[in-house]
Amino acid sequence: MNDNVGATTTLARSVLGDISRGVSELLRYECEFGETEWTRGPVSNVVGLAQEKPSISDRQGERGRSQQLESVDRGDFQLLTPENVKKTPPVQRQDGRSSTQIEPIRTDLFRNVPRGLDGLNVIREELGDCRRCKLHSGRTNLVFGVGNPNAELMFVGEGPGADEDIQGIPFVGKAGQLLTRQIAAMGYVREDVYIANIVKCRPPNNRDPEHDERLACGPYVLGQIRAVSPKVIVALGRVATQALLETTAPIGTLRGKWFTHPHIPVQIMPTYHPAALLRADNLRRYVWEDLKQVMAYLGKPIPGR
Ligand code: URA
């Protein structure tokens, strides 16, 4: 009897210890991102955070697993749960590509671009006063990219918003300020990393960039990746992730997992867009998990470990 009580007490202590470690990790993260607001929302039905590095061809298998995942898209915040996820099988296209793969962009334009600043200058010059797609007509400034031309870590977002359009610099609005805090929480400053977007001109009313716009801008972001040659790209949100990985799979399926870029040997970690976090703060903990994987990969110290 006494043995049973002792065993139960030990078990209870260990469970309480786990809970308290989890809570203090969360608190530490809140401090790291400079947030004081307590996060809400369930974590138990989210089973991401896979450690494996699936190749692009593995994605079919991930779709099944993804159906257990909660997914929030930046635009409409559609919540994918085991209950409401569509169970329809993938459509096989005539050309043999899966229905979650999208038309790839031209990859040859900057294949031999020089590394670093020289390469970025070549790409910027080539873009010039770009009118390759309809987005040019609404822009104030073309937003090329900013940061360390030789960064080991690169962030790729979707496209400029109003603040970025005015300043000509990516991620300077509210979402950008959160990104800056995330970068700091990872042990960097903005000048250490390189930041760019899938499209360089602001889509009207911040709508998603359309396919033709992504195709037009795609070679330039590819060139930027080649020039900077980062070890890791953090793909911010659904649009950036889908464009970089040439897929239509939902962000909730992809985030927290390592991928290799389809054309360049660089690791990609998809995560939720900072703008999504501003609207659904229960996502912050998942982003922190994803960023910690990146920190571990890059050998950065992880707070509390
Ligand atoms: N959102 C993006 O995706 N990119 C920016 O530069 C700003 C907001």
Side-chain angles (χ1 to χ4, degrees):
M1 184 65 173
N2 275 350
D3 280 356
N4 279 347
V5 172
T8 309
T9 310
T10 310
L11 181 65
R13 277 209 187 108
S14 136
V15 169
L16 281 173
D18 284 349
I19 292 170
S20 114
R21 270 189 296 281
V23 170
S24 56
E25 169 74 9
L26 196 55
L27 279 171
R28 203 161 37 237
Y29 150 78
E30 293 294 337
C31 298
E32 309 284 343
F33 280 17
E35 297 298 314
T36 49
E37 219 177 296
W38 184 247
T39 59
R40 298 181 295 272
V43 69
S44 54
N45 64 337
V46 177
V47 290
L49 314 180
Q51 299 300 315
E52 74 273 28
K53 295 184 180 181
S55 72
I56 294 304
S57 57
D58 289 338
R59 279 191 241 134
Q60 295 298 320
E62 285 171 5
R63 192 179 304 106
R65 254 181 293 150
S66 77
Q67 297 193 339
Q68 302 159 52
L69 296 179
E70 181 186 61
S71 159
V72 176
D73 282 356
R74 183 192 174 193
D76 53 11
F77 285 81
Q78 183 198 17
L79 211 59
L80 293 186
T81 64
E83 290 75 41
N84 73 6
V85 75
K86 288 198 192 89
K87 295 277 190 315
T88 41
V91 180
Q92 275 307 312
R93 299 178 355 162
Q94 301 261 314
D95 60 6
R97 292 171 68 80
S98 108
S99 62
T100 60
Q101 287 175 297
I102 58 175
E103 193 183 334
I105 55 165
R106 274 190 68 182
T107 57
D108 52 330
L109 277 188
F110 298 106
R111 184 159 281 148
N112 298 316
V113 77
R115 292 279 165 91
L117 187 58
D118 288 350
L120 291 174
N121 285 339
V122 167
I123 298 159
R124 182 64 191 89
E125 258 175 49
E126 178 66 31
L127 262 174
D129 180 27
C130 182
R131 287 154 196 264
R132 292 169 182 80
C133 84
K134 57 191 176 297
L135 291 181
H136 81 271
S137 59
R139 76 170 176 237
T140 313
N141 285 298
L142 185 150
V143 181
F144 181 64
V146 72
N148 179 352
N150 304 105
E152 63 178 9
L153 176 59
M154 178 165 175
F155 291 85
V156 177
E158 170 177 335
D163 296 305
E164 292 76 17
D165 176 60
I166 290 165
Q167 296 188 41
I169 304 169
F171 282 99
V172 289
K174 273 199 147 193
Q177 287 158 26
L178 176 54
L179 177 64
T180 304
R181 292 202 294 276
Q182 291 172 331
I183 291 168
M186 296 177 78
Y188 297 96
V189 292
R190 259 178 85 109
E191 292 71 24
D192 292 331
V193 304
Y194 192 79
I195 307 174
N197 280 308
I198 293 296
V199 294
K200 312 293 182 213
C201 300
R202 184 190 180 200
N205 302 315
N206 297 339
R207 66 154 167 75
D208 283 1
E210 290 172 359
H211 189 57
D212 59 314
E213 296 156 2
R214 281 192 259 156
L215 279 184
C217 235
Y220 300 91
V221 75
L222 210 56
Q224 285 173 298
I225 296 168
R226 285 209 164 102
V228 175
S229 280
K231 290 183 185 151
V232 174
I233 296 173
V234 175
L236 297 167
R238 169 176 52 86
V239 170
T241 300
Q242 291 180 342
L244 288 173
L245 297 181
E246 295 173 4
T247 181
T248 56
I251 181 69
T253 315
L254 305 171
R255 67 146 280 274
K257 299 180 186 136
W258 287 108
F259 293 88
T260 305
H261 190 282
H263 307 292
I264 304 172
V266 54
Q267 294 302 113
I268 299 185
M269 171 60 68
T271 195
Y272 293 119
H273 193 285
L277 273 60
L278 292 174
R279 294 158 68 181
D281 67 0
N282 61 317
L283 298 181
R284 292 172 187 224
R285 67 192 71 180
Y286 309 130
V287 172
W288 185 227
E289 291 301 328
D290 303 344
L291 297 183
K292 281 195 295 186
Q293 287 198 65
V294 172
M295 291 157 72
Y297 185 90
L298 295 174
K300 298 292 278 185
I302 308 220
R305 285 211 186 144

